[in-house]
Amino acid sequence: MNAPATTPGTPRHPALDGLTTALRELLGPRCSTSDSEREHHGHGESYHPTKAPDVVCYPQTTDEVSRIVKLCHQAKVPVIPFGAGTSLEGHVVALHGGVCIDLSRMNAITEVNAEDLDCTVEAGVTRKQLNEHLRDTGLFFPVDPGADATLGGMTATRASGTNAVRYGTMKDNVLALTVVLADGTIVKTGGRARKSSAGYDLTRLFVGSEGTLCVITEITLKLYGIPEASSVAVCSFPDIASAVNCAIETIQCGVQVARVELLDETCMRAINRHNNLSYPETVALFLEFHGTDAAVVSQAQMVEALAEGHGGEGWRFAATAEERSKLWQARHNLHYALLALRPGASSWGTDTCVPISQLAACITEIREHAKDAPFPVTALGHVGDGNFHMGFLIRMDSPDEIREAERLNGLLVNRAIELGGTCTGEHGVGYGKAKFLRKEHGDAAVEVMRTLKASLDPDNIMNPGKVLPPALDRV
Ligand SMILES: Cc1cc2nc3c(=O)[nH]c(=O)nc-3n(C[C@H](O)[C@H](O)[C@H](O)COP(=O)(O)OP(=O)(O)OC[C@H]3O[C@@H](n4cnc5c(N)ncnc54)[C@H](O)[C@@H]3O)c2cc1C
């Protein structure tokens, strides 16, 4: 959803005019204060109230990013890094105004080391751009959030996607970073070695920091060989519990699925309508297997047998590469297919992750709470690692619907945390989920995060208002 950017009456920062002049001198037309550019950068793809930044900058080098941040640091004006703007928890909303740094023009793939299975990219490169570039090398980068996000944004949100069960998340796939700190200092973290015990792991600190600690300008990533063989199957189930239990058993048996996606009956209806497909409109698993020809066949046979034991029916392979890619395209476009089910509605999507043994109980319990909701409620997820989303197709002009969505979101997130899980498996905290951080991590851990933030960004200019909940003395 793209709600209009609002610019409610917070006072303009007194240093802004001088800062804007200095930024114009540095960047020329790559510094904009136009309403349309500001509006575009004041929101992600979520339902959260929006606010536009005062200025939008388009740097082309790490050095330019450093100079922009130095100027903001001197003026004590907020900095909001921006990738593709596809985040879902209000991450890029300029809550306190300030300067948006749009990294999209830093989109060079600077190095591909095929023999070492790694590459280095600028932060504005998108995941599809990287895979297109790698196409003829026999390598690929597996982390695949539904949107064509930038690798900077994916690093900053610790993103994952359908492949995480096999290849891990951004946390597992970033080897090194170049970042610009809040005072403009350029720091390089990590390296190309696959392992290192040298010092504090700054790379992991910055992965998932959501623009609150630094601007990421360059990322070194792990790459993988395109598997010799792969196959995709769809299987229908009588209910959520059967499908989830099949996924859990698959993981527990050690079958190395590359993807195992749960879609409920509403998702399947949306997929059929939006893509002109004709799958049974009941709960389904989409599964993908990678390996040698023989390994793929044996993995698929094993999971088919497990599925039968859980009432799975209609096991069907996507026969051709084209059919496979159509199927995953349909899965990745599900957000838009669901929106089309209720014209005029917005999607409030929430993301949690629990230990896999708790998954079926968690989803079933929340669906029960949601059965009388006045709007469609959907469940889908990357269930192989316990990560799932519930979506509420609500009308933003209905206070009753918003209240009910908030209630269900709170129930789900609190339940996931109680079951040993997290308030967000992959979308991140932004400002939408900051209120759950204390329950998940405890006061002491949140205070350590606050101390880290204060030591790296004492003036709180880096994406202020995101990730961290209010200080204890202000609660
Ligand atoms: C249809 C749809 C499907 C999605 N599916 C998934 C999914 O399966 N898995 C998943 O993880 N997410 C998913 N997302 C969410 C979103 O795509 C991810 O959060 C993505 O990582 C955001 O990247 P971006 O480039 O759009 O970042 P933005 O939205 O521009 O920014 C996100 C955050 O990162 C910060 N940031 C951006 N670039 C930098 C940088 N260079 N340096 C420092 N901070 C930076 C921003 O300040 C902000 O806090 C989905 C979103 C949509 C709309």
Side-chain angles (χ1 to χ4, degrees):
M1 172 186 37
N2 291 337
T6 55
T7 44
T10 44
R12 258 172 79 82
H13 197 285
L16 204 58
D17 289 338
L19 173 63
T20 308
T21 306
L23 290 170
R24 284 222 172 91
E25 274 168 22
L26 176 67
L27 301 168
R30 290 184 287 114
C31 165
S32 172
T33 51
S34 85
D35 284 350
S36 62
E37 305 243 2
R38 291 173 48 239
E39 193 280 336
H40 172 68
H41 290 85
H43 59 79
E45 288 271 345
S46 66
Y47 60 89
H48 300 82
T50 69
K51 185 166 182 336
D54 297 291
V55 183
V56 181
C57 293
Y58 297 92
Q60 289 175 330
T61 62
T62 297
D63 188 53
E64 274 185 357
V65 173
S66 164
R67 287 171 187 228
I68 296 167
V69 176
K70 266 184 194 147
L71 290 169
C72 293
H73 176 68
Q74 281 156 13
K76 297 201 181 349
V77 166
V79 171
I80 306 104
F82 189 98
T86 66
S87 46
L88 295 170
E89 290 293 345
H91 295 69
V92 293
V93 176
L95 292 174
H96 304 278
V99 175
C100 172
I101 301 186
D102 180 324
L103 280 298
S104 61
R105 297 194 194 175
M106 290 185 62
N107 61 355
I109 295 164
T110 44
E111 212 176 296
V112 176
N113 301 297
E115 63 284 17
D116 291 322
L117 300 174
D118 69 47
C119 70
T120 298
V121 300
E122 290 184 332
V125 171
T126 70
R127 66 175 184 86
K128 286 188 183 166
Q129 183 194 342
L130 176 59
N131 277 324
E132 188 64 26
H133 182 87
L134 293 171
R135 210 172 42 182
D136 297 331
T137 64
L139 302 174
F140 78 115
F141 180 68
V143 183
D144 66 335
D148 189 20
T150 63
L151 289 153
M154 288 166 59
T155 304
T157 56
R158 208 185 295 132
S160 57
T162 61
N163 279 315
V165 63
R166 173 78 184 257
Y167 298 97
T169 73
M170 289 306 280
K171 161 180 77 67
D172 308 296
N173 286 292
V174 173
L175 289 167
L177 293 173
T178 303
V179 305
V180 173
L181 299 181
D183 63 357
T185 307
I186 298 170
V187 175
K188 287 185 185 281
T189 74
R192 290 181 50 226
R194 285 291 162 135
K195 49 193 245 191
S196 164
S197 297
Y200 298 147
D201 192 340
L202 296 181
T203 307
R204 292 295 160 284
L205 175 64
F206 294 130
V207 174
S209 59
E210 300 189 10
T212 64
L213 299 180
C214 66
V215 185
I216 298 160
T217 59
E218 263 195 348
I219 309 139
T220 300
L221 296 163
K222 292 183 191 170
L223 300 175
Y224 297 81
I226 294 174
E228 176 188 315
S230 62
S231 78
V232 176
V234 178
C235 186
S236 302
F237 290 85
D239 51 37
I240 291 271
S242 319
V244 170
N245 287 329
C246 173
I248 293 171
E249 216 172 296
T250 301
I251 303 300
Q252 287 169 341
C253 289
V255 180
Q256 283 226 316
V257 273
R259 289 165 155 167
V260 50
E261 293 288 299
L262 171 82
L263 294 96
D264 75 359
E265 43 295 73
T266 311
C267 293
M268 292 307 290
R269 184 153 49 94
I271 279 206
N272 280 344
R273 284 197 192 177
H274 201 67
N275 303 281
N276 205 12
L277 295 167
S278 55
Y279 289 108
E281 293 183 358
T282 176
V283 178
L285 289 181
F286 286 13
L287 298 126
E288 182 161 312
F289 308 97
H290 290 177
T292 59
D293 283 325
V296 161
V297 170
S298 97
Q299 289 169 17
Q301 282 170 347
M302 203 162 153
V303 180
E304 187 176 1
L306 292 175
E308 272 171 27
H310 289 283
E313 280 182 351
W315 181 273
R316 181 167 139 190
F317 282 106
T320 60
E322 195 189 345
E323 209 182 317
R324 281 202 293 275
S325 110
K326 197 168 168 194
L327 189 79
W328 288 121
Q329 198 53 42
R331 166 63 189 89
H332 277 136
N333 288 336
L334 184 56
H335 176 74
Y336 306 101
L338 286 168
L339 285 175
L341 280 185
R342 195 182 184 205
S346 299
S347 170
W348 177 323
T350 187
D351 153 56
T352 57
C353 187
V354 294
I356 53 168
S357 63
Q358 306 298 325
L359 190 58
C362 189
I363 301 181
T364 310
E365 192 180 313
I366 302 303
R367 273 173 46 114
E368 187 57 27
H369 282 290
K371 70 178 188 312
D372 297 324
F375 43 75
V377 175
T378 59
L380 63 144
H382 319 306
V383 286
D385 40 31
N387 187 192
F388 70 99
H389 309 311
M390 292 204 103
F392 313 127
L393 289 176
I394 58 171
R395 290 198 197 283
M396 291 309 284
D397 56 3
S398 163
D400 286 349
E401 293 197 6
I402 293 176
R403 236 186 331 272
E404 179 61 1
E406 259 165 15
R407 185 184 77 87
L408 292 171
N409 182 42
L411 273 175
L412 171 58
V413 171
N414 282 310
R415 192 71 188 117
I417 295 172
E418 282 155 18
L419 291 169
T422 172
C423 67
T424 169
E426 58 181 17
H427 292 170
V429 178
Y431 76 93
K433 291 223 164 134
K435 59 178 176 281
F436 299 111
L437 227 61
R438 286 190 190 285
K439 175 157 183 163
E440 179 168 336
H441 294 295
D443 290 340
V446 169
E447 290 316 304
V448 173
M449 293 185 203
R450 192 178 297 290
T451 305
L452 281 168
K453 163 84 172 162
S455 73
L456 288 172
D457 179 19
D459 296 318
N460 192 24
I461 63 164
M462 298 301 300
N463 207 3
K466 312 297 166 52
V467 181
L468 292 170
L472 274 178
D473 56 6
R474 286 197 273 124
V475 170

